[in-house]
Every structure is written in C-alpha cells, then in structure tokens.
Amino acid sequence: MLEEFLTQQLAAVEGITLDYDTDFASLTTLRVGGKPQVLVRCSNPEAAVAATQLVDDASVPLVIVGGGSNLLVRDGAVDVVALLLEFGDINVDAGSGLVRAGAGAEWDRVVAASVDAGLGGIECLSGIPGSAGAVPVQNVGAYGAEISDVLTRVRLYDRRAHVDEWVPAADLDLDYRYSNLKFTHRALVLEIELQLSTDGLSKPLRFGQLTQQPGERRRVAEVREEVLRLRHGKGMVLDPQDHDTWSAGSFFTNPIVDPALAEAVCARVRTTHGDAVAETMPRHAVAKGEKLSAAWLIEKAGFPKGYPGQGRATLSTKHTLALSNRGEARAEDIVALARDIRDGVRAAFGVELVPEPVWLGLAL
Ligand SMILES: Cc1cc2nc3c(=O)[nH]c(=O)nc-3n(C[C@H](O)[C@H](O)[C@H](O)COP(=O)(O)OP(=O)(O)OC[C@H]3O[C@@H](n4cnc5c(N)ncnc54)[C@H](O)[C@@H]3O)c2cc1C
C-alpha cells in the first residue's frame, strides 16, 4: 500500500483524482496487466508536475501512461504509481501552420484537426493510437514520415532538474523509434508544438502504397483517407471488435545490422527459400548499416500471419509484426509468443529482434 502521507498529499492537489480501481488491462491496447498502487489522474499540467514531484520525493516508482498503446505490463499487482495526463487542448493556427497540443490529447484528433485546417506534414501519421504527449517518446513514424520532421518544441518537466520549460526538439536525440525520453522516464512531456505547411498539400510522399511518383505531394485530406484505409486493412487502427488490434502495433523494431550480417542473412534466405525469394529481401542502407524488415524476417523464419503460438496470444491475422490478444491473454502469453518469435528469427538468420514497446515488470 502507498504510504498514507503520500496519498494525503496527492489527494490535496487541485486537479488530481486518485483512482484505485483501474488496472493496466483497461489502460493499454494489449489489454493485459494488473493494478498499479494508484492511478493519479491529472486534469492540468501543474497537477501533473506536482504529483510527479511528490511521488519522486517519496522515491516511489512512477509510470506515465498515455493511450497505453506502446506498453506491456505484468499481471498481478504492479508496484508503481501510474500517472494519467488528462489535459489535451488542441490549438491549430491555420495561417501560420503552428499546432500545439496538450499531452493528453488523442494523437489522431491532432492529425484530424490539422488536416481539416488544410495543414500538411502529419497526414501520413493518421490513425496511430495514443496521446500527443507520447509521440516524441519514440519519434512515431509511418508511411515515410516521422514526428521529428515537424516537431519544433516540447514542454517538458525534467524530473531531475525540477524544471518545467519548452525545449527544442533537437534536445531529444530523435532517431528511428527512439528519443532520450524512451526507457529513461527522465521527463514528462506536457505539451508539443509542430510547424506544419500551409499550402494544403502533403509532405512529399515516399511510400509506394501512397504514390507511384516518389516526391509527389497530394491534398492532405486525400492522403489521410488513404492512410486510414491502408491501416484498417492491416489491423493498425484500434477497433474493440477486432482482436488483431488488441496489440501494441509493431512489436519489434526493424533491425539495423552491419552490412556483412545483411549479406549473410540474404545468403541464408537463398539457401532456405531460393534465389527468387532472396532477391526480394527488403534492405535499406541507413547511417548505421542496413535496415532489414522485421515482418519479412519473421514470416521467412516460419511465423505466418495468424501464427497461433499457445493460443491466447497470436500473431495478428493481418500483419506479421503485431502480437495480439485474442481476448483471454495474460501478459505472460504475450511474452511467451514474443520469445518464440525472437528465438525463431535468431535461429533462422542470426538476427536479434528488439521489442518496440516499453515493458513494465517483465523481461524478454
Ligand atoms: C494498432 C497500433 C498501431 C500502431 N502504429 C504505430 C505506427 O504506425 N507508428 C508508431 O511509431 N507507433 C505505432 N504504434 C505504437 C504507439 O501507438 C505509439 O508509440 C504511441 O505514440 C504511443 O502513445 P501512447 O500515448 O499510447 O503511449 P503509452 O503506451 O501510454 O506510453 C508509451 C511510453 O511513453 C511514455 N509516455 C507516454 N506519455 C508520456 C508523456 N506525456 N511524457 C513522457 N513519457 C510519456 C510512457 O511512460 C511509456 O514509456 C501503434 C500501436 C498500436 C496499438
């Protein structure tokens, strides 16, 4: 139980509600996980900062929860205080293209409001679940776009320095599914600021399924519609009726490997699957080596879409990279499936898959 003194201090802060009933299964899109010691619901940034200070001063582990779409939490009692940021004003300036959103705003509402105002730059990020405050955490990306393309500043509360201030996006070390906020819990994102384009057109499109002419710019609303359609087809838009979406989206990041390893993987594919398949192996040169496709490797290692694992957690029937809860899964079922796949890909190709979600109280 949380110390009575801390509980009283938290309860006394204006804008805070203490919730002892909600478990992580209700807070996350994988829908697994037990109860935190308490869920602290914060209705404004000042309340979130005050709660963080109190919990940090008491040396109690704190976890910030947005939409829970990139979180895998253990079953049973979870020895943390969970902080839910429930403030989410969205301000869109159609003239300048400047957009600001509070951490608790649903990310897709930010995209929809920007697209409705004819602003371009985040239309390819339509349909990604979760909160605005979390988008910088792993530099969310999809269909050739990343939030780092348009993120100018974030309002951060730095938990070590005890400072609440706007910092430039450049201070976050944004990279492929990474920022220095991910896994570190060093700061709370309270607000984000984006600079979008105002000519009604999308960012130059690079992704083959969105354009036949790389570099083409299309009307933002058209691109949003197309992205949502594609994502629905892959089970990548949340739908409570569709168990394929009871997931954390892509469960593993695309591995970035040494070119020599990429060559060795290709040679193994040639041996096991033949020349024609080896020729289609996705490989992209990036600054740190070659980026391979985790989904492709998983499939070629013998895990097709819908791979049943032990039954309660399976691969999505629409996308090889999503591990999904078929309704009754426990956290350990998701972990067992993740291990099965990680080990299978390692055995087949010598490539180590790394999970994308943040894990709480569990390890692979
Ligand atoms: C169906 C589906 C499709 C997805 N598709 C994509 C995709 O295309 N591209 C992509 O990049 N991701 C995708 N994801 C992953 C996920 O939606 C994103 O990572 C999203 O940004 C997570 O937001 P969230 O609010 O749910 O974060 P949570 O899962 O609640 O939290 C994730 C991490 O961020 C931290 N965090 C959350 N809010 C804050 C804050 N305000 N300040 C500091 N830390 C914070 C948490 O403590 C935790 O460590 C998908 C997930 C699902 C379920």
Side-chain angles (χ1 to χ4, degrees), residues 80-206:
V80 296
V81 168
L83 198 74
L84 193 62
L85 309 184
E86 299 192 306
F87 45 92
D89 287 349
I90 301 172
N91 289 297
V92 175
D93 183 345
S96 68
L98 210 63
V99 173
R100 275 200 189 166
E106 189 186 327
W107 168 248
D108 198 51
R109 284 189 47 233
V110 180
V111 181
S114 305
V115 166
D116 285 349
L119 300 181
I122 50 176
E123 56 287 336
C124 288
L125 306 179
S126 293
I128 297 179
S131 60
V135 291
V137 174
Q138 70 153 6
N139 185 22
V140 295
Y143 296 98
E146 287 185 332
I147 197 64
S148 56
D149 301 338
V150 292
L151 186 73
T152 49
R153 299 192 299 166
V154 291
R155 181 178 162 196
L156 275 192
Y157 172 64
D158 185 314
R159 293 169 64 184
R160 275 173 292 216
H162 307 289
V163 180
D164 167 1
E165 65 180 356
W166 284 93
V167 303
D171 287 5
L172 301 179
D173 299 333
L174 296 165
D175 202 343
Y176 169 62
R177 296 301 170 276
Y178 176 80
S179 80
N180 57 31
L181 301 170
K182 194 171 178 183
F183 305 123
T184 63
H185 305 289
R186 75 170 182 87
L188 258 74
V189 177
L190 298 169
E191 271 180 84
I192 62 168
E193 184 186 84
L194 315 174
Q195 177 64 64
L196 303 184
S197 62
T198 55
D199 60 5
L201 297 177
S202 68
K203 72 183 294 263
L205 299 171
R206 290 192 269 146

Side-chain angles (χ1 to χ4, degrees), residues 194-236:
L194 315 174
Q195 177 64 64
L196 303 184
S197 62
T198 55
D199 60 5
L201 297 177
S202 68
K203 72 183 294 263
L205 299 171
R206 290 192 269 146
F207 197 80
Q209 284 174 286
L210 293 176
T211 181
Q212 300 308 311
Q213 303 154 262
E216 182 193 11
R217 299 182 69 204
R218 292 169 51 195
R219 289 172 48 78
V220 280
E222 255 176 55
V223 174
R224 172 169 166 80
E225 221 170 275
E226 187 67 13
V227 167
L228 287 174
R229 194 184 62 74
L230 288 168
R231 292 186 67 100
H232 270 293
K234 295 178 186 172
M236 285 293 173

